[in-house]
Amino acid sequence: MHRMAESLGIGACFRHRPHEKPMRLQPTLRTKILLACALAACATGCKVTGADIEYWKGTVKGPGKIVAVMLSDNYPMELRTQSALALVEMERQDVDGVAELQRAIQRLPEQKRHEIIAGMVSGLAGLMRGGDTAASDANGPPPLQVRAKDAAYLLITHAQGQARDQLVDAVVGWYVVDFNGRSLAGNYSAEQVVRSLGSRAATMLVEALNAEMPPQAVVKLAEIISQVGDDQAKQRAAERLVEIERRMESDEYLEWLKGKVRDQIREQSPDAEIDENRVSAIAALNRENFVTQGALPAMKHLSSQQVVAERLLEVASLESTNEIIVQRRVKALQALEGGAKREHLQRLLALALNSEVPEAVRDYAFDRVGDIRSPEAIPPMWPLVQDGEKQRLRWRAGEMVLVIGGPGVVAEFFTKLPSGSDVKFEPEELEGYATRMSQMSPPPTDLVREQLRSSDWWDRVIALRYYERKGTEADIPAMQRLASDRAEVKGEHWENLEITTVGQVAEAAITGLRERLSGGAEAEGQQGPEQQQGEESGE
């Protein structure tokens, strides 16, 4: 029996021999009987110790022996638990100990499985605890810590009660220590882990947010928390992000960055004299990167939280035309997308309608006003719609009025457009108005039809472009009556289309309409870039 057990590689009394080689056994009934006999013999005639488990971690047949001890009821639970941990601790290229553990744990009866997992918790936490400081080099955390993290994560599925909670805390806590250095370590990324574990894990991730982590890490953390966390986690993360952004703007933070720059210079050129002006310039640039590529974009994921929305509006309202601050203001308004509410309307209108505000800032303020879609925004927009000179702002305001007001505002819109012999409209502006009208529900077809007889050439062009998008075969005769219209179109970019008169617009619109109709249902389903963009943004 002793020799039979030795051939199976089971038991402490079958010590490793220098000439030991791996054996290939078929999982036959005979093998199973021999294994049972071997285990029985081992239980009665020899004793496996912790020292044996440690020794087997480095032998050829060792992993199989360790698994056998873990699975056998003939050994005390303490030794079986040690065996399970040993599979994680093995430093081997030929055997994946974590995979062996996963397979073995699934073979155990439920009660024994829970006992072994509960016994492993402190050991796995200890293996990971060697990483309670951030990764010290580009190679990331040590392999043993990574294996312990992967093993702990895999066991969570099988754990219960306190053991499960402790494993969740250990795994997520490991990422919190150095999210940027550890988020992709091992077989399971931080994002995979947190998404599978849910709001408890997302809540813990809030503690990982800090002003010193790379911008992309701040953004990713905010994204995960916003998608997985509960309301409390989102609120805490929002408050934390505002604190981080404020700290980044502080003198203390700038001094910290200067220290980092000096360290980097010394590392690259130990004997070089440090130019403090250069240090200050580099640190200032890095701070802006942290703010505009990290904190503010991260806030976008939590812009629905009041504390974040208020802070973004504060940044957007900074009274400065300095290029760096203007970029910060733009990023703040971009981040407010999805978070602008009716109570923010007046502050956003103050930015959008103020001619002294930089153009880029006004653009995004208009976007956020459009997001709110409040009818209260329409009256302040009419003066811009009526402006005969500021074509760009008129176009922006005109499209916004149409988007917010819908069919009910179309008739008034035509009366508000500027008039006079000198007024100019670019083709893109008029097509933009036509596109917005064509996207309305119900479509304002009857109101637009009246504009085919308007005395103003731009009204007729809008109507023609509208029918190009929404008209039917029955509308072509009315459009053809304008084919002989010799009224001159005025504005930039018409020459690019080789169009000089309303009649030429009519011919192009009829051609476009017929091409759309000839395409049948397929063509009806196709949309131009402007239409697609409008629908994707909900406009």
Side-chain angles (χ1 to χ4, degrees):
M1 180 65 71
H2 181 99
R3 189 170 300 168
M4 179 191 302
E6 182 175 0
S7 70
L8 290 170
I10 304 296
C13 50
F14 332 125
R15 300 296 183 186
H16 170 69
R17 295 173 295 178
H19 61 275
E20 181 182 14
K21 296 181 180 180
M23 300 178 64
R24 295 184 178 179
L25 298 177
Q26 297 297 323
T28 62
L29 178 61
R30 178 176 178 274
T31 300
K32 294 177 181 178
I33 294 173
L34 291 175
L35 175 60
C37 294
L39 290 174
C42 191
T44 57
C46 58
K47 180 180 180 182
V48 174
T49 67
D52 295 317
I53 301 298
E54 291 300 309
Y55 177 70
W56 287 341
K57 289 194 296 187
T59 68
V60 175
K61 296 182 180 179
K65 297 178 182 180
I66 293 171
V67 169
V69 172
M70 177 185 164
L71 294 176
S72 175
D73 288 334
N74 293 311
Y75 299 103
M77 187 58 63
E78 182 179 356
L79 189 65
R80 296 173 71 180
T81 301
Q82 181 185 350
S83 298
L85 287 170
L87 293 173
V88 179
E89 294 168 340
M90 292 189 307
E91 298 283 353
R92 302 179 67 129
Q93 299 295 321
D94 60 329
V95 178
D96 185 341
V98 175
E100 293 293 325
L101 172 64
Q102 184 181 19
R103 285 190 287 269
I105 209 75
Q106 293 172 340
R107 295 170 59 188
L108 287 166
E110 184 176 0
Q111 182 58 38
K112 297 298 182 181
R113 182 190 307 151
H114 293 158
E115 289 182 38
I116 289 179
I117 291 175
M120 294 179 69
V121 170
S122 61
L124 287 172
L127 295 177
M128 287 187 280
R129 199 172 295 124
D132 281 353
T133 56
S136 59
D137 56 46
N139 295 324
L144 177 57
Q145 294 174 25
V146 177
R147 292 198 304 275
K149 180 269 299 182
D150 281 349
Y153 171 63
L154 288 171
L155 293 179
I156 290 172
T157 303
H158 306 287
Q160 288 184 337
Q162 184 179 10
R164 185 184 191 281
D165 291 344
Q166 290 174 333
L167 287 173
V168 170
D169 291 348
V171 171
V172 181
W174 185 80
Y175 286 117
V176 168
V177 171
D178 180 18
F179 181 83
N180 187 62
R182 300 177 176 182
S183 63
L184 299 178
N187 295 326
Y188 310 96
S189 69
E191 184 171 1
Q192 286 177 282
V193 169
V194 174
R195 289 189 185 280
S196 69
L197 297 181
S199 61
R200 177 186 177 92
T203 299
M204 292 183 64
L205 273 191
V206 175
E207 301 305 317
L209 288 165
N210 64 77
E212 286 77 32
M213 68 195 318
Q216 66 271 20
V218 178
V219 176
K220 175 53 71 174
L221 270 172
E223 178 187 2
I224 296 172
I225 295 169
S226 71
Q227 295 175 354
V228 182
D230 56 21
D231 291 342
Q232 184 178 3
K234 294 175 185 177
Q235 176 66 24
R236 287 179 55 196
E239 293 169 354
R240 186 71 166 261
L241 283 176
V242 171
E243 293 172 3
I244 288 172
E245 189 273 332
R246 289 185 184 277
R247 181 169 185 271
M248 287 177 175
E249 295 186 8
S250 69
D251 293 338
E252 177 188 6
Y253 188 77
L254 189 60
E255 289 303 316
W256 173 78
L257 282 172
K258 288 180 181 179
K260 291 292 184 181
V261 173
R262 293 189 193 100
D263 291 344
Q264 188 175 20
I265 293 174
R266 292 190 187 102
E267 183 179 340
Q268 294 175 348
S269 305
D271 300 326
E273 183 177 350
I274 295 178
D275 181 347
E276 286 300 323
N277 290 330
R278 180 169 176 260
V279 168
S280 296
I282 295 174
L285 178 61
N286 282 333
R287 173 164 68 179
E288 286 310 308
N289 288 337
F290 274 93
V291 173
T292 60
Q293 297 179 26
L296 294 178
M299 287 184 183
K300 179 176 181 179
H301 295 290
L302 293 159
S303 62
S304 60
Q305 299 294 314
Q306 183 177 355
V307 64
V308 167
E310 288 296 324
R311 180 54 186 163
L312 291 174
L313 278 171
E314 287 178 21
V315 175
S317 301
L318 294 172
E319 294 183 358
S320 174
T321 56
N322 177 280
E323 184 177 349
I324 291 177
I325 301 302
V326 168
Q327 180 65 12
R328 199 183 290 181
R329 296 172 72 182
V330 166
K331 288 291 186 180
L333 286 169
Q334 289 175 334
L336 190 58
E337 182 179 6
K341 299 180 178 64
R342 192 162 185 166
E343 59 262 32
H344 305 140
L345 178 61
Q346 296 307 317
R347 293 160 72 182
L348 289 168
L349 283 172
L351 293 172
L353 302 178
N354 187 344
S355 60
E356 296 183 1
V357 171
E359 190 174 274
V361 177
R362 295 183 73 179
D363 265 350
Y364 284 100
F366 271 115
D367 283 344
R368 301 294 77 83
V369 170
D371 292 344
I372 299 171
R373 290 177 174 262
S374 170
E376 295 176 22
I378 294 178
M381 294 289 172
W382 285 132
L384 289 179
V385 175
Q386 294 172 306
D387 196 307
E389 296 183 3
K390 297 177 181 177
Q391 183 270 340
R392 189 172 181 277
L393 287 174
R394 179 183 67 222
W395 181 7
R396 196 69 200 275
E399 287 205 32
M400 185 164 298
V401 165
L402 292 171
V403 167
I404 295 173
V409 81
V410 171
E412 185 175 5
F413 174 81
F414 280 111
T415 67
K416 295 292 188 182
L417 288 175
S419 61
S421 58
D422 296 331
V423 71
K424 296 180 180 179
F425 291 90
E426 295 180 3
E428 296 87 353
E429 178 183 357
L430 299 181
E431 289 196 21
Y433 299 151
T435 298
R436 295 304 182 186
M437 292 178 191
S438 71
Q439 293 168 347
M440 293 176 180
S441 181
T445 303
D446 291 340
L447 290 171
V448 177
R449 183 179 293 111
E450 296 176 8
Q451 303 309 314
L452 291 173
R453 298 188 297 272
S454 171
S455 59
D456 294 321
W457 67 266
W458 49 89
D459 291 343
R460 302 197 295 277
V461 169
I462 294 173
L464 287 165
R465 291 304 189 185
Y466 172 88
Y467 278 104
E468 180 181 354
R469 290 163 171 77
K470 298 295 289 186
T472 66
E473 188 72 33
D475 298 308
I476 291 179
M479 298 170 70
Q480 283 179 326
R481 283 194 288 269
L482 293 178
S484 59
D485 191 328
R486 301 304 176 201
E488 182 181 357
V489 294
K490 297 179 181 179
E492 297 182 7
H493 305 157
W494 288 104
E495 67 278 4
N496 297 337
L497 302 176
E498 297 183 353
I499 288 177
T500 59
T501 66
V502 173
Q504 289 174 321
V505 174
E507 292 173 354
I510 292 169
T511 299
L513 170 58
R514 283 177 169 157
E515 288 177 353
R516 177 171 60 81
L517 294 178
S518 66
E522 181 179 352
E524 288 286 347
Q526 294 174 348
Q527 297 173 314
E530 288 181 333
Q531 290 171 293
Q532 291 175 348
Q533 182 179 3
E535 291 191 1
E536 288 169 3
S537 63
E539 296 179 353

